[in-house]
Amino acid sequence: EAAPAEEPASKRLAATLKKHAVSQSLYKHIVEILEHPLADTFSQESREMLLAALPHSLCVPSDERQEFQESIVKMMGQLMGQILATMQTCLDAENERVAGSEAKKQELEETIQAAEAALSKAQDVTAAHQTELNLACSATQSAHAELTKAKDVQKAGDAAQALARTDKEALEAALVGDLEKLKSGDVGDAAPDMLYQHLEPLLLKLDLDASLRSATKPALLNAPAGRGLFDKKVVEEIENSFTAKIEQLSKHIAESQPAADARMLVVTEAEGKVAEAEVVQNAVADGLASARAVQKDAQASLKAAKASLTEFKPEYKKATEVRDQQQVQVQTFMDVNVAAFDVLSAKISAKKKKAMAAAAEAEAAAMAAAAEAEVSAQAEAAEAANAANEAETRDATMPAAEEMAATEETEAKGSAAADGTSTTDGESAACAAAESAPERSVEETPKIIEAPAAIGSVAELGA
């Protein structure tokens, strides 16, 4: 008869895990510890031995393990600790490398922040200079406007004086020139009519009456030898009119000179203000140019700082990616493999769980009984205290009741003496009433305590 075929290892493993209520996924995470690349601190033979012993040691509830099974669990814990320590060492090394990169990144970012602050400050300075220049330009424009206005006033005011001076000069020239020639008849090669035409515009400026103006031309064109008395008088009046007009214009020019000087002074002051405004404007413009140069340098510095950070980012990313990968591996190992080991190493049997539950139930029942006993004791103590308080109150009110009865007896005797009716029958009845009076209860104590003051006053009246 052929021997029965041996069950496959996987089937035997599944049966063992089922027996100890261990899931395949949980067991797989324990096996991953033995297969970890850093598990090479244990020899291959040791790892194979641990792998074969795992289902019969770590998977067995902790309260059912024997000494050799506990040694297997301890070896697994040591291996897991060595792997975790090696992973942490690698992670610490990566953290140190990343710390240098982070320091450099922070330095670059601080440089950018400083450059941004410098640029912002430069922009504020430029804006302030621009505002100042706008004001200076407005002041210069206002100064030019005042100068233009002053020159217009000067031009309008000086025009009349200039015209008077021109007329005066023309009259003076004619007086010694064309008029003198026609008066003396010494015209030379010039035609008298031509000389008179030169004089005619000037004659219009003279204050001549109509008769004199109409007689002017015949008198002046007539030769001196052919002039009669009337013509000579006309020529003389014309010459006097020229002289009077010249004197009038000279006086006008002299009187208008202060006003012309004042207008000139206003123009001069306006020109000075324009010059001052232009000096200020030029100085402010120079300041603005300097501020713009500083702002341009600040912009260049910021651009360079940002470019440095951009160039460094790939290097920083590479360093942090390696660190992050190491960190994820460590965390995954702790969350999955170490956690699985902790679950199995601390696992207890169903029997122990049941015993623990029964112990917990018994403890809870004991605590409930103790609490109930404590409540009962507290209730008995409270009842005893209430009884003691009632007895104390009763003992305190008895003297007051006796005192009340004596006071009433005294009051009755006093009333009888005051009325003059003290009979034996009445005294007997009073005594009988006192003796037959029922004893007052504790509940009437407040009235008995308040009575003596009023009763005493009545007794005093009876006396």
Side-chain angles (χ1 to χ4, degrees):
E1 183 178 351
E6 187 178 357
E7 292 182 344
S10 59
K11 188 173 181 180
R12 293 198 305 272
L13 174 62
T16 302
L17 295 180
K18 183 178 180 180
K19 174 183 176 182
H20 298 304
V22 177
S23 66
Q24 290 279 357
S25 60
L26 193 63
Y27 180 76
K28 178 183 176 184
H29 295 323
I30 303 300
V31 174
E32 289 172 352
I33 298 175
L34 294 171
E35 295 175 349
H36 197 280
L38 298 178
D40 56 0
T41 54
F42 277 35
S43 64
Q44 182 66 28
E45 292 78 5
S46 297
R47 282 180 281 164
E48 290 177 356
M49 181 271 293
L50 289 175
L51 180 61
L54 277 180
H56 310 288
S57 56
L58 183 60
C59 296
V60 175
S62 60
D63 56 302
E64 297 178 357
R65 291 175 193 153
Q66 299 181 15
E67 185 177 353
F68 80 92
Q69 293 171 323
E70 288 291 349
S71 65
I72 297 297
V73 173
K74 184 177 180 180
M75 290 177 65
M76 280 297 301
Q78 292 174 349
L79 176 60
M80 184 178 63
Q82 291 176 3
I83 293 173
L84 188 60
T86 304
M87 294 177 69
Q88 188 62 49
T89 301
C90 295
L91 178 59
D92 292 342
E94 291 300 328
N95 280 329
E96 289 181 2
R97 280 190 285 271
V98 170
S101 298
E102 287 179 342
K104 184 176 180 180
K105 179 174 176 287
Q106 183 178 359
E107 180 182 353
L108 293 174
E109 289 174 344
E110 289 175 352
T111 302
I112 291 175
Q113 292 174 357
E116 289 175 341
L119 176 59
S120 177
K121 183 178 179 181
Q123 289 172 337
D124 291 342
V125 173
T126 300
H129 279 288
Q130 184 63 60
T131 301
E132 189 177 0
L133 179 60
N134 293 340
L135 294 175
C137 290
S138 297
T140 302
Q141 292 175 356
S142 298
H144 276 290
E146 291 295 327
L147 176 59
T148 300
K149 181 179 178 181
K151 286 184 176 180
D152 290 342
V153 173
Q154 182 187 37
K155 183 178 180 180
D158 291 352
Q161 189 181 33
L163 179 60
R165 187 174 285 108
T166 300
D167 290 345
K168 175 177 173 292
E169 292 173 355
L171 290 171
E172 288 175 340
L175 182 62
V176 297
D178 294 340
L179 181 59
E180 181 62 28
K181 289 178 181 179
L182 290 174
K183 174 186 173 183
S184 64
D186 188 9
V187 296
D189 296 335
D193 289 340
M194 185 62 65
L195 295 176
Y196 182 80
Q197 289 180 3
H198 293 164
L199 288 176
E200 196 168 15
L202 299 176
L203 292 174
L204 296 176
K205 297 180 182 294
L206 302 179
D207 296 329
L208 303 177
D209 57 27
S211 60
L212 182 59
R213 189 175 298 280
S214 62
T216 298
K217 183 176 181 181
L220 289 176
L221 293 179
N222 199 1
R227 292 175 189 155
L229 183 60
F230 178 74
D231 289 340
K232 290 180 180 180
K233 187 64 177 176
V234 169
V235 172
E236 182 181 356
E237 286 296 327
I238 291 173
E239 187 176 16
N240 291 337
S241 295
F242 264 81
T243 302
K245 189 64 176 178
I246 290 171
E247 290 177 354
Q248 180 186 356
L249 291 173
S250 297
K251 182 179 180 182
H252 173 73
I253 291 171
E255 290 177 350
S256 61
Q257 189 60 42
D261 294 340
R263 289 191 294 273
M264 176 59 72
L265 180 61
V266 172
V267 171
T268 302
E269 290 177 350
E271 288 174 343
K273 291 180 179 179
V274 168
E276 292 175 359
E278 288 177 345
V279 169
V280 173
Q281 178 178 332
N282 292 334
V284 174
D286 293 340
L288 177 60
S290 299
R292 284 176 174 170
V294 173
Q295 180 178 336
K296 184 177 180 181
D297 292 341
Q299 289 172 336
S301 299
L302 178 58
K303 184 177 180 181
K306 288 183 176 180
S308 298
L309 180 60
T310 302
E311 293 174 359
F312 177 70
K313 280 183 177 180
E315 179 182 346
Y316 174 77
K317 182 180 179 182
K318 182 178 179 181
T320 53
E321 282 178 349
V322 174
R323 187 273 312 273
D324 294 344
Q325 185 178 5
Q326 290 276 0
Q327 194 168 11
V328 169
Q329 290 176 357
V330 171
Q331 193 64 47
T332 301
F333 187 77
M334 293 185 64
D335 293 344
V336 177
N337 305 105
V338 174
F341 176 83
D342 291 340
V343 169
L344 290 180
S345 63
K347 187 170 81 70
I348 59 176
S349 63
K351 181 179 179 181
K352 186 172 183 179
K353 286 182 182 179
K354 185 176 180 181
M356 290 174 65
E361 185 178 353
E363 183 179 0
M367 291 178 65
E372 184 178 355
E374 183 178 358
V375 171
S376 177
Q378 290 177 354
E380 291 177 358
E383 185 177 355
N386 290 335
N389 290 336
E390 290 177 359
E392 183 179 353
T393 302
R394 201 164 41 245
D395 293 341
T397 56
M398 285 299 293
E402 293 174 356
E403 182 180 355
M404 182 64 181
T407 303
E408 289 180 351
E409 182 178 356
T410 302
E411 181 182 0
K413 290 179 179 181
S415 297
D419 295 339
T421 56
S422 177
T423 61
T424 302
D425 295 338
E427 291 177 357
S428 299
C431 291
E435 291 176 358
S436 62
E439 191 178 52
R440 284 176 170 78
S441 64
V442 176
E443 287 76 3
E444 296 175 335
T445 299
K447 297 181 180 179
I448 296 173
I449 293 173
E450 296 173 358
I455 295 172
S457 62
V458 174
E460 290 175 1
L461 291 173

Coordinates of all heavy atoms in Angstrom, one line a residue, residues 19 94 159 179 200 227 233 238 281 309 317 322 356 376 454:
K19 N -5.3 28.0 12.4 CA -5.3 27.5 13.8 C -5.1 28.6 14.8 O -5.8 28.6 15.9 CB -4.3 26.4 14.0 CG -4.2 25.8 15.4 CD -3.1 24.8 15.5 CE -2.9 24.3 16.9 NZ -1.8 23.3 17.0
E94 N 20.8 61.5 5.2 CA 20.1 62.3 4.2 C 19.6 63.6 4.8 O 19.6 64.7 4.1 CB 19.0 61.5 3.6 CG 19.4 60.3 2.7 CD 20.3 60.7 1.6 OE1 20.0 61.8 1.0 OE2 21.1 60.0 1.2
A159 N 4.3 150.9 -24.2 CA 3.9 151.3 -25.6 C 3.6 152.8 -25.8 O 4.1 153.4 -26.7 CB 2.8 150.4 -26.1
L179 N 10.7 171.8 -41.1 CA 9.9 173.0 -40.7 C 10.9 174.2 -40.8 O 10.5 175.3 -41.3 CB 9.4 172.9 -39.3 CG 8.6 174.1 -38.8 CD1 7.4 174.4 -39.8 CD2 8.1 173.9 -37.4
E200 N 3.4 166.9 -42.9 CA 1.9 166.8 -42.8 C 1.5 165.7 -41.7 O 0.6 166.0 -40.9 CB 1.3 166.4 -44.1 CG -0.2 166.7 -44.2 CD -0.7 166.6 -45.6 OE1 0.0 166.1 -46.5 OE2 -1.8 167.0 -45.8
R227 N 5.6 186.3 -48.0 CA 4.7 186.1 -46.9 C 4.2 187.5 -46.3 O 5.1 188.3 -46.1 CB 5.3 185.3 -45.8 CG 5.6 183.9 -46.2 CD 6.3 183.1 -45.0 NE 6.7 181.8 -45.5 CZ 7.7 181.2 -44.9 NH1 8.4 181.7 -43.9 NH2 8.0 180.0 -45.4
K233 N 2.5 185.0 -39.1 CA 1.9 184.7 -37.8 C 1.5 183.2 -37.8 O 1.7 182.5 -36.8 CB 0.6 185.5 -37.6 CG 0.0 185.3 -36.3 CD 0.9 185.8 -35.2 CE 0.2 185.7 -33.8 NZ 1.1 186.1 -32.7
I238 N 2.7 177.8 -35.9 CA 3.0 176.3 -36.1 C 4.3 176.0 -35.4 O 4.4 174.9 -34.7 CB 3.2 176.1 -37.6 CG1 1.8 176.2 -38.3 CG2 3.8 174.7 -37.9 CD1 1.9 176.2 -39.8
Q281 N 14.1 123.1 -9.9 CA 13.6 122.0 -10.8 C 14.8 121.1 -11.3 O 14.7 119.9 -11.3 CB 12.9 122.6 -12.0 CG 12.4 121.6 -13.0 CD 11.6 122.2 -14.1 OE1 11.0 123.2 -13.9 NE2 11.6 121.6 -15.3
L309 N 18.1 81.5 -7.1 CA 17.2 80.5 -6.5 C 16.6 79.5 -7.6 O 16.5 78.3 -7.3 CB 16.0 81.2 -5.8 CG 15.0 80.3 -5.1 CD1 15.7 79.5 -4.0 CD2 13.9 81.2 -4.5
K317 N 15.7 70.0 -5.0 CA 14.6 69.0 -5.3 C 15.2 67.6 -5.2 O 14.6 66.7 -4.6 CB 13.9 69.3 -6.6 CG 12.8 68.3 -6.9 CD 12.2 68.6 -8.3 CE 11.1 67.6 -8.6 NZ 10.5 67.9 -9.9
V322 N 15.4 62.4 -2.3 CA 16.1 61.2 -1.7 C 15.7 61.1 -0.3 O 15.4 60.0 0.2 CB 17.6 61.3 -1.9 CG1 18.3 60.2 -1.2 CG2 18.0 61.3 -3.4
M356 N -9.7 36.9 31.2 CA -9.6 38.4 31.5 C -10.9 39.1 31.5 O -11.2 39.9 32.4 CB -8.6 39.0 30.4 CG -7.2 38.6 30.5 SD -6.2 39.2 29.2 CE -6.3 41.0 29.5
S376 N -25.3 52.9 51.0 CA -26.1 52.4 52.2 C -25.6 53.0 53.5 O -26.3 53.5 54.3 CB -26.2 50.9 52.2 OG -26.9 50.5 53.3
A454 N -44.0 89.5 76.2 CA -45.4 90.0 76.4 C -46.0 89.7 77.7 O -46.6 90.5 78.4 CB -46.3 89.5 75.3

